[in-house]
Each structure stands twice: as C-alpha cells, then as structure tokens.
Amino acid sequence: MASNSPNSPRQKMINLMYLVFIAMLALNVPAEVLDSFVLVGESLGSSATTSSSKNEHTFDNIKSLYQSNPEKTEKWYLLAQKVKEKSDSLYNFIAEKKIEIVKNADGEKGNPDNLQHPDDLNAAFEVMMAPGKKGGERLREDVESYREFITSLILDTIQKQIIETNLSTTPSEKAKKDKQSWEGSMFYQMPLVASITLMTKLQNDVRSAESEALNTLLKNIDVGDFRVNKIEAFVIPKSQTVVQGGTYSANLVLAAVDSTQTPRIFVNGKELPQKDNGLYQVGTSSTGSFPIKGYIEVTKDGLPFRRDFSSEYFVVEPSATIFPTLMNVLYANYENPIEIAVPGVPGQSVSATMSNGRLERKGNNIWNAYPSKAGTDAVITVTANIGGKTQTMANRSYRVRPLPDPMPFIEYTDENGNPKKFRGGRLPKSILLNTEDLKAAIDDDLLRVNFSVIRFETMFFDAYGNALPVPSDGSKFSSAQKDRLRSLSKGKTFYIRGVVARGPGGDERTLSPIEVTVN
C-alpha cells in the first residue's frame, strides 16, 4: 500500500511546491497599492521639504533677534540651536537608512525617489533588523529620545499630545498581537515602497515637531520686537493631499497679527471675503497639483504693506488598501482576517461590504470576511465618509476557495512534556495504547482549522497477509482496535484509513491514511 508519510519523497516534493506557491502569493502585492504608496510618499516628501524651509526661516528669525539682543534672547537661541541639531541629526539618519535600504534592493544606483523594485519584501528587514544590524533598534531609541526632548519644550497640551502621538514608538494592537516590536511592524515582511513611505512620514513628523518647538521658543521672545522686524505671509493647509471630491482647506495668515485691523487677502487673482477670516476653500473636481498664490495686505504707517505667499495642494483619486492577512484568496465557510484602510481617513470613517458572504469589523482596520460559496468570486466594496460625504474608494474581487483537506494525526506528549502530532512513521506501542481518539486539522503556517473526526478504521494483517479491518467508535479507538494493537510486536505495521472528518462548513472529507510502524 502506498504511503503518504511526510517523510516520503513524494510528500517532500508536495511540501516544497506548496512553500514556493505561498511565497509567490505573498509577493503578489497589487500594483495599485504600490502606486498609492508612491503618491503618498511624494506628497509627504514635498511637505517635509516645505516644513524644512519654514523651520530654517523661523530659526533665522531667532538668530537675528539673538544677534541684536544677546542678553535677552540667549536662552531661547541656545535651545533653538539644540532643537535644530537634534532634528537634523534624526532626519538625516532616516535619510541615510532610506538610501541604504533602496541600494540593497535596487543596487548602488538605487534612488528612494525612483524605486525599481517597490514590492521587495527583504531589503528593509536586512538593513534595519537582520542579525547583527541595529538600525531599527537605534531608530526607535533616537525617536524616543527626540520625542522626550521636544515635548519638554512644548507648553500647549494639545500640540504636545499631537507630537507624542505622531512620534509614538508603541506597537499597534495588531503588532502586539503578532508579538512584533515597533520597528518590526515597519520593516518585517514590508514592501520596499511601504517602508520608505513610513520613513518619509517619520521625517515629516520630525520637521513638524521641530516647527512647533521653534515657534514655541520664538513666542517666548518679545512679540513686539518680532512684529517690527519680521512680518511674513504663510499658507496653513489642513492637508496638502485631498481625495477627489473632497474639499481643500487652508488658513492664509501673517506671522504677526495686528488685531486693530483686518488684512485684505488676494488668492489666485481674487480677493477673499473678509467675513471668511482668512479661511480659503475650493472644490476638487479633478486630480493633479494646484497652485495657491497671492498676497496679504495691511496698512502700516498709513501706507499699504504687502507680503506675497505661494503654496500648492494635491488632489488624488480615491483609493483603499484591502489586504487579506492569509493570502490573495478567501476560504469559504471560514473566518478570513482582512485589513481594510483608506490613506488619510480614520478607520471609524471607513465602511465595507462584500458580495457572496458577509464582513464583520473586529477592530479599527481589521475585519473578518465570511464567504458563502466556493467557486464564486467575492467582491469587497470600500466606502469612506470624507467631509460629510460618502465616497466609494475601491472595489476588489477575490477568488473564493474551499478549505484544503486536513491531515489526520495522533496527539501525544513526549518525554519532555511537549505536545506532539504524529502523522505517520514509527511510534512507541505505549503511546498507541494510551491514545483515546484520532484528530484532524489543517495546521500550517497560514491556517489553523480543526475538523471533527466522524469515523475511521484500522487495517491489520495476519500471518498469512490477510487484511483485517477494524472500525472505530466515532473518533475514538474501539476496544477491538485496542486489542489488536496490544497483540502487535515491534516492527509490525498497520494503517489508519477511511478517515472521515467534518469541517467548519459542515462538509465531510475523506482523508489520506496514516501508516504506523510499532516502535
């Protein structure tokens, strides 16, 4: 009789093919998801560059005030220097690691702004977390040290909370469940483009924290001196990236405000109504990059005083990330965990539905999919509430398959007290006699699904080679089977066959036999 033992050459070949197949599926990251990360990364990079320029300008203001009155401003200037040094050090360290990661994936000419292998799953881990590499650990420690220093300078409790949240190194709930560190959630099995985008976001958060700290220090210097010597116009957008159909909002203000007069604001050739108090809003009917140019005018000493401003915002197409945590397929009559997220939209504002089954929300971005019928695709539709308006963000179709057949096994405990699962080969007679029942389950790196054994039979052979089948008592070994087992001598072989098990959906499966040799 042919053996289906895991040790047989045939089974080894099947296992190898299965691992290769899983690896191929794991690498099958949808192109639109990679493109979304590229777009978000470009937007974050542009925002970080703009923030860097503004921070340099703020620092120059503090430096100028120090040079004109060192005794009055020395304390704040020295703190501003320290803020700048620490911010530049962390920002540049992240930039160096981004280049090192990209070169690992794309070669010596690798460029973080032009990724050749955005779906590479190994480069970030090898550079930041591989044995002997401490880049991820150092990054976490540097972020924690920087966060503590910056928040010690911030007086506004709301802004302090924002910085603590943006620079938090506490693992997410999913990472904690998977026993991952903060750096593990950023670099382990993460597509190259995703890790680079996350690092760019971190750089942007550093510049944002630096900006808040420098402005706090600037406020501690006499406001009057600043108002007389430096007046600048700024565009303060709520977001520079807007989903198509949403609304772009920005405040247009002067750095120093005179409460005795209302400035005139001109945007893209038109004057903004004074009743809007500097709030600029415009609809977004198409995608692309759009300029915001104009000037703010006030009266100074009876004469018009004008400062120009210039900025831009980006409108992107609606997109969403739908990622089955198992594979790029869903299993019928099974709880399939799925991550659903929309860039820039909080999880509570995201909704999803599914054809050929149902979806249940389990956490902020975690859902369970329950497909009904194998062989029929399931379409997941994601919507998001943006500015009070519900928009469809994505429609994705997934193949629905039946669960694979489980493997029957005998469960026992070895001499060290460790639980073991025997699926074929040699087994001590004492373990066989102490075994009460037969179990069955899908138990691999992706699935953990128990099946209920309904019946099976043992096949023994007498001295003449005649087959002697003996049925079980459901999932339990019958007394007749135990009697036969007692009579077996060392080296004798018998088979557990005709195993029938019932799965989560109620369907019954006939499973492969187990060959057992008494040890």
Side-chain angles (χ1 to χ4, degrees):
M1 180 178 292
S3 169
N4 198 34
S5 165
N7 297 320
S8 68
R10 176 178 178 274
Q11 190 61 39
K12 288 181 178 178
M13 179 60 71
I14 292 174
N15 292 342
L16 179 60
M17 292 174 66
Y18 182 72
L19 290 174
V20 172
F21 175 64
I22 296 304
M24 292 174 66
L25 289 174
L27 293 173
N28 187 20
V29 181
E32 58 267 35
V33 174
L34 299 178
D35 293 340
S36 294
F37 273 113
V38 171
L39 183 60
V40 171
E42 291 174 351
S43 175
L44 290 170
S46 175
S47 179
T49 300
T50 301
S51 296
S52 296
S53 177
K54 291 180 179 179
N55 292 346
E56 286 289 339
H57 182 75
T58 304
F59 178 78
D60 288 342
N61 286 341
I62 296 175
K63 183 177 181 180
S64 177
L65 291 170
Y66 167 71
Q67 291 171 342
S68 63
N69 193 342
E71 181 177 352
K72 179 180 179 180
T73 61
E74 182 179 23
K75 174 183 177 181
W76 312 118
Y77 173 66
L78 293 178
L79 280 174
Q81 275 189 319
K82 195 171 182 181
V83 168
K84 188 175 186 302
E85 289 170 1
K86 286 183 173 293
S87 300
D88 289 345
S89 175
L90 180 54
Y91 185 97
N92 293 335
F93 173 73
I94 298 171
E96 291 169 4
K97 288 302 176 183
K98 284 168 59 176
I99 293 174
E100 188 175 349
I101 290 171
V102 173
K103 286 186 175 181
N104 182 282
D106 294 344
E108 279 303 310
K109 294 184 178 181
N111 182 356
D113 297 326
N114 185 20
L115 302 179
Q116 302 301 310
H117 300 90
D119 56 349
D120 186 298
L121 295 174
N122 299 315
F125 176 83
E126 291 175 358
V127 171
M128 303 298 287
M129 296 185 66
K133 299 295 181 70
K134 299 290 186 178
E137 181 179 345
R138 178 189 164 183
L139 177 60
R140 172 171 50 78
E141 293 172 351
D142 287 356
V143 169
E144 291 171 348
S145 175
Y146 179 78
R147 182 184 68 235
E148 292 175 3
F149 169 71
I150 290 294
T151 53
S152 70
L153 304 176
I154 306 300
L155 301 178
D156 188 311
T157 55
I158 295 178
Q159 289 300 326
K160 179 179 292 190
Q161 180 62 43
I162 291 173
I163 292 173
E164 288 176 343
T165 299
N166 288 344
L167 297 177
S168 173
T169 55
T170 301
S172 65
E173 290 303 317
K174 182 179 184 300
K176 290 179 181 177
K177 185 177 180 181
D178 295 339
K179 298 181 179 180
Q180 277 190 328
S181 61
W182 172 81
E183 57 267 33
S185 64
M186 290 184 66
F187 304 118
Y188 180 70
Q189 284 293 294
M190 184 70 72
L192 174 65
V193 67
S195 291
I196 295 301
T197 300
L198 289 172
M199 296 175 79
T200 301
K201 177 188 178 300
L202 189 55
Q203 289 179 299
N204 192 56
D205 292 336
V206 168
R207 288 308 186 204
S208 177
E210 178 189 17
S211 175
E212 190 61 30
L214 290 175
N215 280 298
T216 297
L217 296 175
L218 188 58
K219 289 177 183 177
N220 290 326
I221 303 173
D222 192 304
V223 176
D225 290 343
F226 173 75
R227 182 180 293 123
V228 171
N229 293 291
K230 291 287 182 179
I231 299 179
E232 294 293 336
F234 291 97
V235 179
I236 306 177
K238 293 183 179 179
S239 174
Q240 284 189 298
T241 303
V242 185
V243 176
Q244 182 178 359
T247 300
Y248 171 80
S249 298
N251 284 300
L252 312 177
V253 300
L254 286 173
V257 178
D258 183 356
S259 60
T260 64
Q261 60 177 313
T262 302
R264 298 180 67 189
I265 303 173
F266 294 82
V267 185
N268 294 341
K270 296 183 179 180
E271 184 174 4
L272 193 67
Q274 291 190 356
K275 63 181 179 63
D276 290 345
N277 294 319
L279 178 64
Y280 175 69
Q281 292 184 317
V282 63
T284 55
S285 58
S286 59
T287 62
S289 175
F290 299 87
I292 298 291
K293 294 183 178 181
Y295 60 89
I296 299 178
E297 182 180 275
V298 295
T299 300
K300 180 181 180 182
D301 299 328
L303 298 174
F305 182 88
R306 175 185 297 184
R307 280 293 181 268
D308 297 330
F309 59 80
S310 177
S311 185
E312 63 180 338
Y313 64 94
F314 311 93
V315 180
V316 300
E317 292 183 354
S319 64
T321 299
I322 309 173
F323 183 67
T325 58
L326 296 177
M327 295 192 301
N328 287 336
V329 298
L330 301 175
Y331 290 108
N333 300 307
Y334 179 69
E335 180 183 281
N336 299 262
I338 286 182
E339 293 183 28
I340 298 177
V342 177
V345 179
Q348 60 268 26
S349 297
V350 177
S351 300
T353 57
M354 185 178 78
S355 65
N356 186 25
R358 59 188 175 87
L359 282 173
E360 286 185 3
R361 188 194 295 268
K362 304 302 290 185
N364 199 28
N365 294 327
I366 304 300
W367 299 67
N368 282 339
Y370 300 88
S372 301
K373 184 179 179 181
T376 300
D377 287 356
V379 178
I380 296 179
T381 301
V382 178
T383 59
N385 188 310
I386 302 175
K389 180 181 178 182
T390 299
Q391 293 182 244
T392 298
M393 309 304 292
N395 286 287
R396 299 272 167 75
S397 180
Y398 292 91
R399 293 173 296 164
V400 179
R401 293 174 140 187
L403 284 167
D405 284 341
M407 292 287 290
F409 62 89
I410 292 173
E411 193 171 53
Y412 68 96
T413 302
D414 66 13
E415 62 273 9
N416 296 319
N418 300 315
K420 296 290 184 180
K421 294 178 180 179
F422 173 79
R423 293 187 174 90
R426 305 182 72 87
L427 191 65
K429 187 175 182 179
S430 59
I431 293 177
L432 289 169
L433 294 176
N434 288 324
T435 299
E436 293 297 326
D437 54 9
L438 186 68
K439 300 180 182 297
I442 303 172
D443 187 7
D444 55 27
D445 290 336
L446 293 174
L447 299 173
R448 297 289 189 275
V449 186
N450 291 323
F451 279 63
S452 300
V453 174
I454 300 172
R455 61 183 178 274
F456 66 92
E457 68 177 17
T458 52
M459 181 68 73
F460 301 94
F461 297 90
D462 62 16
Y464 302 101
N466 298 315
L468 303 173
V470 182
S472 67
D473 291 332
S475 64
K476 297 184 177 299
F477 284 88
S478 66
S479 57
Q481 289 175 326
K482 287 292 184 76
D483 290 340
R484 285 287 183 181
L485 290 175
R486 291 188 186 91
S487 67
L488 291 179
S489 58
K490 183 177 180 181
K492 290 295 185 179
T493 297
F494 70 97
Y495 296 89
I496 300 175
R497 47 170 264 178
V499 181
V500 177
R502 182 179 292 118
D507 61 318
E508 295 184 2
R509 311 277 186 94
T510 299
L511 310 183
S512 55
I514 301 176
E515 180 181 330
V516 185
T517 300
V518 177
N519 191 6

